[in-house]
Amino acid sequence: MALQEYKWMGKPLKVKEDVYPITGKATYLDDIDIPGTLYLAYVRSPVAHARIKRIDTSKALAHPGVVYCVTGEDVKKALSPFMEITEPPNGRIYDYPLAVDKVRYFGEPVAAIVATSRYAAEDAAELVEVEYEQLGCVLDAEEALKPGAPLVHDEAGTNLVWRGVWDLGSVDTAFAQADRVIKDKIYFHRYAPIPLEPSGVLAAYDESQDSLTIYNMIPMPMFVIPMICGALRMPPSKVRMIHPPNIGGSFGGKIMSYTHATLVALLAKTLKKPVKYVETRTENIESGTHSNERTFHVEVAVKKDGTILGLRAKIYDNCGAYPRYEPAGAVIWSQVTPGVYAVKNISIEFAQVMTNKGPTSPVRGYSRLQHNFMWEKLMDIVARELGLDPAEVRLRNLIKAADMPYTGPSGTIYDGGDYERVFRKLLDALEYTKWRKLQEEYRAKKRYIGIGFSAVIDSAANNFGQVKIINKYFPVSGNSEAAMVMIDQGGQVVARTGTSDTGQSHATTFAQIVAEELDMDPSRIEFQRGFDSVSGVWAAHSGAYASRSAVLAGTALALAARKLKEKVVLLAANLLKEDPANLVVKDGKVVSSQSGKQISFEELALIAWSDVLLLPEGFEPGLVSYYVYKPDFKNNLPDPKNRINNTLTYSYTMHGTVVEVDAETAQIKILKHVAVSDPGVMINPLVVEGQEAGAAIQGIEAALLDNLEYDDNGVLLASNFWLYPPITTQEAPNLEIIHDATRSTSSLTGVRGVGEGGGGPVGSLANAVEDALSPFGVKIRSSHLSSKYLYSLLKKSGVKA
Amino acid sequence: MAVQKYSKVEPEENVRVSVKINGRVYAETVEARMLLIDFIRDVAKLKGSKIGCDTTSCGACTVIVNGRSVKSCTMFAFEADGAEILTVEGLSADDKLHPLQEAFWNNHALQCGYCTAGMLMSAYYLLKKNPHPTEEEIRKGLAGNICRCTGYINIIKAVKEAASKGGSA
């Protein structure tokens, strides 16, 4: 579908809110000081699995500056356990902000100190004595399901969080018709999202109203209200959630900080003083949150020409010690069941399992990035087995543009685009043929070049309702977002939504959306940043997660602006004594196309808000409109085959990487990386490209650097920036990003959510490295390409470099 | 720097620290173990410089101390006694943005903005030393500053642009 022409959207406008960080004026959570604030520090477990025999806090309490100390036992009395998403038996587990009775992962908080300064709190935390009785730990998902495996949560009686089966199409027939059946095993590693600003919370209790104000950076503030208020046993009306105007990144991870928010709020209420906690980087890496670790046992049915007829897979997902938000990851992947490929016959048995590793949560590309990786590895495995070109195998299997909108086997509807054209653009931009030729020439000189591809498809504006597959009684579904647009007393256009960004430039892009509706320069529109559950607007699902802001908040804003426009026209028509049909709203005024008479927003606002005696009969004073948008989906509840459709847009990116691998040292050098994407209508190309570049570099980092490795005792081996180095200017390559934008068939404005782009290069790098080392017969089946892993594969191959 | 003043200081001993930040003197008695970044943020109440790690790796707290770029979490406040410090808040003069700030804005060289203060100060120091750096030199100059959002692409573009417009001022 052709792109619609917009006047204000689609322009690479300078991001106006960028001025605050560059002048040091941006306000993040830790920049908020309330006089008299106390500081919290955790005592954390140095072991993975142990019974807590004794906690002695006396020395800590005697330390200067220390005000209070809590342990799991205290918290158990004061709080209700967090609600669980799954039904029993797993739903029986008890989850509190501090470990109760036993610790279940390395770094789990067991006690907390509150003191007058952060320095004093951290000193005192070291004085708390904890006696542990170590228990055997289980770290691998498949091991955890074997009889006799240590139980992470005794009360559940099992380490299985949830198991589901998708039996889609005619899998047996597909396998019966296959020329070849290829079996393999693929592994996706665990890493952390590490936003540069660690998670934090500041809570204050107001005795005069018995209410709590929680300054936080949880990207889904109202979604976690049932968790926080349920645990605190307070009604939501007594808990005010506030985001500062700036949040220093999230990439999914900050969602889990509701456990800190609950504890800090409890302490603020108990002590009647503001309490603040900000994670250290070490705490953030250890237990801020991790991405899902997943193992795929796959069987594919293929024709000789590379056509994939069917897939059978048994998938094990390791979600760590507490499922929390997590059972969602066991089903969110099924929004993109076939990836970008036209495979109809798919049978998947998916098990999510608890282990003694850190808890997992959404991380950029949540649950789909692992699934996309599986498909991209499969494409190369099939190509190599059949002696075909991996580009050819992809072209044979890609979903065709003629079949768009495309209903996939698990019921989701892909919203347009031309996957084949995008892939061909990638081949051209990457100069595929040239590199294939060079590869031959280099090999003669014992230099090893490899070319790899991968595609990621990101279901965006996705719906937590997917968890209805897991628990049909869980009362959170839907995909709503709220917006308010007003012309204030001074005639200024002001807009708000319930989604506050973590670096996605909402103030600029949302102003562009409102500008489009009101046909006025976006620089004249004030988008108010931050979040406030008392004075702002919100819906229960509000927030910047799941690439939903542009699509859902954007639509809510557009529709709120439309409603406001109707009101403006109605008032202007009455005051100008004109037919509304002749009135045009433009540049902050209403003009008659017939008489040329006009009235400005300033004049209209003064009458609408203030000089209300001049208002026509029945006209509600003020110029403000609200809209809560919820997309309408067909088949938005799961059928017995777990098919469900409640995700709105599907942006996709195809990556191509050329690498050179040193066969002696196993060092990887990226020679070229190209990404071609279809982001739909771009509200602001500068912002879209920024998101895409960031996502791609994070994917490269995930493949080459980030890996949360535990030792056999469950001790995390990489827990700070020295041991877990993030990508820097020294490793990050330059990228070529190309757009092939088509309008989304599902969203009102034609945009697709693009915030995630999760992990695209992980697949292209893994495939490129395997391609480079193919003379050695090296098979890459892991998403993490450490030198250690590659070196072991090279050594095993026995071929001399 | 006035480090020599103390032959031996206990971590929790109180010491008098006086520093000039962005042209203004801030004097306070603080614990000897107080990090310079905490002095800047909590005593001088200049919140533009950030804390992003606990191993002096991320560079979000980078400031200029006596003309040299320093990760201000690597230094005790008392070590800066008597020093002149420049932070992000002091980069623009008379409400006019510094060429580096202009270039960061023009190129959308930030998303969440948390690394920006430190990134700007490292770039400032780089251009002071080397007004016309190559891309490789820019990458080296910013290697101690971590950005989680941009993939560094627009940051490098911005520094190039600032250099071409005399950003070493």
Side-chain angles (χ1 to χ4, degrees):
Chain A
M1 200 182 269
L3 282 176
Q4 187 179 322
E5 281 301 313
Y6 286 109
K7 187 169 170 189
W8 299 108
M9 281 168 53
K11 289 194 166 59
L13 296 185
K14 200 163 147 176
V15 176
K16 54 184 166 190
E17 62 268 42
D18 281 358
V19 74
Y20 302 110
I22 62 173
T23 50
K25 288 175 187 149
T27 301
Y28 300 82
L29 186 123
D30 202 17
D31 302 336
I32 303 171
D33 282 338
I34 302 178
T37 293
L38 302 172
Y39 297 83
L40 179 143
Y42 284 114
V43 178
R44 290 175 179 271
S45 172
V47 293
H49 196 197
R51 211 158 284 291
I52 301 168
K53 299 287 282 181
R54 182 181 65 92
I55 301 182
D56 183 351
T57 58
S58 53
K59 281 183 196 149
L61 279 168
H63 188 76
V66 171
V67 173
Y68 200 69
C69 183
V70 275
T71 66
E73 279 307 309
D74 305 322
V75 157
K76 191 180 168 185
K77 283 178 211 141
L79 296 175
S80 295
F82 291 123
M83 68 175 182
E84 295 299 322
I85 289 169
T86 42
E87 293 181 275
N90 179 66
R92 276 198 292 266
I93 73 171
Y94 290 105
D95 184 8
Y96 292 96
L98 294 173
V100 175
D101 300 332
K102 67 175 196 173
V103 291
R104 296 175 173 86
Y105 68 95
F106 173 82
E108 181 170 6
V110 291
I113 303 289
V114 183
T116 49
S117 77
R118 188 168 176 167
Y119 283 67
E122 288 185 6
D123 281 349
E126 287 180 12
L127 301 174
V128 174
E129 289 171 14
V130 187
E131 195 185 318
Y132 296 100
E133 178 194 331
Q134 286 216 51
L135 303 165
C137 67
V138 62
L139 304 168
D140 176 80
E142 288 171 71
E143 290 298 319
L145 291 180
K146 289 185 180 158
L151 285 176
V152 181
H153 293 270
D154 305 273
E155 57 276 22
T158 170
N159 290 324
L160 180 72
V161 177
W162 183 79
R163 192 195 301 269
V165 175
W166 284 254
D167 186 9
L168 310 165
S170 311
V171 180
D172 290 344
T173 315
F175 275 78
Q177 288 169 347
D179 292 331
R180 283 277 300 276
V181 171
I182 302 163
K183 284 188 188 185
D184 220 312
K185 183 180 164 185
I186 297 163
Y187 167 73
F188 198 97
H189 72 293
R190 168 182 284 252
Y191 60 92
I194 45 174
L196 196 59
E197 176 197 34
S199 281
V201 61
L202 166 65
Y205 179 64
D206 179 351
E207 277 185 272
S208 72
Q209 303 194 72
D210 183 31
S211 69
L212 275 163
T213 299
I214 305 177
Y215 298 88
N216 67 86
M217 49 180 98
I218 303 166
M220 32 172 40
M222 301 317 282
F223 184 96
V224 297
I225 272 285
M227 324 266 185
I228 295 171
C229 291
L232 290 169
R233 302 171 196 143
M234 284 177 82
S237 60
K238 292 288 185 191
V239 177
R240 180 178 189 174
M241 298 290 274
I242 293 183
H243 284 173
N246 289 81
I247 298 177
S250 169
F251 317 117
K254 286 179 177 171
I255 291 170
M256 286 307 108
S257 60
Y258 72 84
T259 59
H260 305 313
T262 306
L263 182 64
V264 169
L266 171 71
L267 292 165
K269 193 178 171 187
T270 308
L271 302 171
K272 300 184 172 45
K273 290 258 185 159
V275 180
K276 191 191 251 189
Y277 167 69
V278 177
E279 279 176 341
T280 64
R281 176 58 55 193
T282 301
E283 291 179 305
N284 172 262
I285 296 174
E286 273 173 11
S287 63
T289 196
H290 300 161
S291 67
N292 303 61
E293 190 178 351
R294 209 172 274 178
T295 307
F296 305 83
H297 298 270
V298 288
E299 250 184 284
V300 273
V302 292
K303 299 290 268 185
K304 271 187 288 200
D305 66 0
T307 306
I308 296 181
L309 298 175
L311 166 77
R312 280 194 192 117
K314 269 194 173 180
I315 304 174
Y316 296 90
D317 184 279
N318 181 341
C319 78
Y322 293 91
R324 296 189 177 154
Y325 186 89
E326 196 36 64
V331 289
I332 293 286
W333 61 268
S334 70
Q335 292 165 346
V336 297
T337 303
V340 290
Y341 303 106
V343 183
K344 301 254 184 211
N345 310 305
I346 297 176
S347 162
I348 287 177
E349 186 186 317
F350 194 106
Q352 189 175 61
V353 186
M354 292 180 285
T355 65
N356 294 112
K357 288 187 178 181
T360 59
S361 86
V363 173
R364 197 173 203 170
Y366 182 37
S367 187
R368 293 97 79 216
L369 75 117
Q370 294 87 348
H371 197 75
N372 284 319
F373 178 77
M374 172 197 76
W375 277 114
E376 294 309 319
K377 270 319 298 177
L378 280 178
M379 289 297 140
D380 275 49
I381 290 169
V382 167
R384 209 166 296 285
E385 285 287 326
L386 299 177
L388 299 170
D389 186 315
E392 186 191 334
V393 172
R394 283 179 171 78
L395 284 166
R396 205 167 286 289
N397 288 292
L398 284 172
I399 292 165
K400 301 274 177 279
D403 296 331
M404 288 289 178
Y406 180 83
T407 303
S410 55
T412 48
I413 301 169
Y414 291 178
D415 60 333
D418 191 330
Y419 297 3
E420 191 180 322
R421 187 173 68 213
V422 165
F423 189 68
R424 288 191 191 280
K425 276 192 181 175
L426 174 67
L427 293 177
D428 286 348
L430 193 68
E431 301 174 290
Y432 183 52
T433 354
K434 181 193 100 178
W435 285 108
R436 274 277 174 248
K437 242 179 86 198
L438 275 176
Q439 184 178 44
E440 281 305 306
E441 292 170 19
Y442 272 51
R443 271 183 195 165
K445 293 181 261 177
K446 294 199 182 280
R447 287 182 64 183
Y448 302 97
I449 286 178
I451 308 142
F453 303 108
S454 65
V456 283
I457 180 154
D458 262 326
S459 43
N462 79 29
N463 196 326
F464 194 78
Q466 202 85 6
V467 301
K468 292 269 186 198
I469 296 174
I470 293 170
N471 182 355
K472 66 178 173 179
Y473 302 108
F474 191 72
V476 181
S477 68
N479 218 352
S480 59
E481 188 53 84
M484 182 226 61
V485 183
M486 74 155 122
I487 300 171
D488 74 8
Q489 271 176 294
Q492 169 75 47
V493 178
V494 176
R496 282 182 209 141
T497 74
T499 162
S500 54
D501 75 89
T502 59
Q504 298 90 347
S505 315
H506 285 181
T508 299
T509 52
F510 286 166
Q512 287 178 268
I513 292 173
V514 175
E516 198 63 49
E517 293 296 328
L518 300 179
D519 195 5
M520 64 190 289
D521 192 319
S523 67
R524 293 174 58 194
I525 294 165
E526 167 80 15
F527 177 81
Q528 293 178 331
R529 298 176 303 141
F531 179 89
D532 188 331
S533 63
V534 169
S535 64
V537 292
W538 50 266
H541 314 101
S542 280
Y545 59 97
S547 304
R548 64 195 292 291
S549 297
V551 182
L552 298 176
T555 304
L557 278 163
L559 295 174
R562 255 176 229 186
K563 258 171 81 179
L564 177 68
K565 192 168 146 182
E566 284 169 21
K567 206 172 171 184
V568 164
V569 168
L570 182 69
L571 180 59
N574 196 280
L575 295 171
L576 298 175
K577 313 241 176 311
E578 286 273 340
D579 182 348
N582 296 335
L583 295 180
V584 180
V585 177
K586 195 176 162 53
D587 298 332
K589 49 190 187 253
V590 187
V591 187
S592 164
S593 57
Q594 296 296 309
S595 66
K597 281 197 280 186
Q598 54 171 271
I599 187 163
S600 69
F601 281 7
E602 287 82 356
E603 293 167 286
L604 287 165
L606 200 63
I607 293 167
W609 289 105
S610 180
D611 207 358
V612 294
L613 296 180
L614 302 184
L615 287 177
E617 202 182 316
F619 190 94
E620 184 188 358
L623 287 176
V624 57
S625 92
Y626 295 91
Y627 201 97
V628 180
Y629 172 64
K630 175 186 97 61
D632 289 321
F633 293 106
K634 284 190 184 120
N635 309 320
N636 65 356
L637 290 171
D639 73 4
K641 285 185 168 259
N642 290 338
R643 286 178 298 204
I644 180 171
N645 172 45
N646 55 17
T647 295
L648 208 55
T649 72
Y650 297 82
S651 64
Y652 55 97
T653 311
M654 300 200 186
H655 294 264
T657 315
V658 183
V659 296
E660 180 172 0
V661 186
D662 184 316
E664 280 181 49
T665 62
Q667 291 296 305
I668 301 164
K669 190 175 172 201
I670 296 175
L671 304 178
K672 188 166 185 175
H673 187 96
V674 180
V676 187
S677 79
D678 181 352
V681 167
M682 287 182 274
I683 304 167
N684 183 328
L686 193 63
V687 172
V688 170
E689 205 163 295
Q691 293 295 315
E692 291 177 334
I697 296 291
Q698 281 191 357
I700 290 168
E701 172 188 67
L704 300 183
L705 295 164
D706 293 358
N707 185 24
L708 292 163
E709 203 181 335
Y710 286 79
D711 74 6
D712 292 343
N713 299 315
V715 173
L716 183 61
L717 298 175
S719 58
N720 60 45
F721 274 168
W722 286 112
L723 300 166
Y724 186 88
I727 197 161
T728 73
T729 50
Q730 296 301 285
E731 301 87 19
N734 279 314
L735 309 169
E736 196 177 323
I737 296 175
I738 296 164
H739 292 128
D740 182 82
T742 66
R743 219 184 136 78
S744 163
T745 56
S746 308
S747 70
L748 178 79
T749 49
V751 306
R752 295 192 173 91
V754 296
E756 296 180 80
V762 181
S764 62
L765 268 162
N767 286 332
V769 169
E770 176 171 303
D771 185 46
L773 298 178
S774 58
F776 302 89
V778 162
K779 290 181 175 179
I780 306 282
R781 295 296 180 265
S782 160
S783 52
H784 190 249
L785 309 168
S786 67
S787 307
K788 193 169 82 179
Y789 172 62
L790 294 187
Y791 191 74
S792 74
L793 292 177
L794 280 165
K795 219 170 150 189
K796 221 163 53 186
S797 84
V799 184
K800 276 234 170 284
Chain B
M1 280 177 224
V3 179
Q4 302 86 332
K5 202 158 91 180
Y6 302 96
S7 54
K8 186 166 181 274
V9 186
E10 291 302 321
E12 287 167 67
E13 191 179 326
N14 283 333
V15 291
R16 187 79 184 159
V17 175
S18 171
V19 290
K20 194 187 254 188
I21 310 177
N22 307 329
R24 194 183 141 185
V25 175
Y26 297 87
E28 185 68 60
T29 302
V30 299
E31 285 185 1
R33 63 177 176 167
M34 178 182 259
L35 300 175
L36 178 58
I37 180 63
D38 290 332
F39 189 94
I40 293 169
R41 286 179 52 84
D42 297 337
V43 177
K45 299 280 178 198
L46 293 165
K47 304 284 192 183
S49 309
K50 304 297 179 203
I51 302 168
C53 73
D54 45 15
T55 47
T56 78
S57 310
C58 81
C61 65
T62 306
V63 298
I64 307 294
V65 180
N66 291 337
R68 294 179 61 188
S69 73
V70 169
K71 289 177 177 174
S72 59
C73 71
T74 313
M75 198 171 166
F76 294 113
F78 83 83
E79 291 180 285
D81 186 39
E84 289 211 23
I85 295 174
L86 180 71
T87 70
V88 67
E89 288 92 342
L91 259 191
S92 43
D94 305 326
D95 281 342
K96 197 178 171 313
L97 293 181
H98 186 276
L100 268 166
Q101 291 173 311
E102 284 285 3
F104 268 58
W105 199 359
N106 288 338
N107 289 282
H108 188 40
L110 59 140
Q111 287 172 25
C112 84
Y114 205 74
C115 74
T116 308
M119 205 58 94
L120 280 166
M121 300 323 282
S122 288
Y124 174 89
Y125 181 64
L126 169 71
L127 295 190
K128 279 274 180 218
K129 276 195 314 183
N130 179 1
H132 299 287
T134 61
E135 176 170 332
E136 207 186 323
E137 287 165 340
I138 294 172
R139 285 182 175 271
K140 208 172 163 204
L142 301 179
N145 291 75
I146 290 163
C147 170
R148 303 291 308 144
C149 299
T150 63
Y152 304 102
I153 295 161
N154 289 351
I155 293 173
I156 291 161
K157 264 193 221 166
V159 177
K160 278 183 193 165
E161 183 185 303
S164 73
K165 291 181 179 171
S168 57

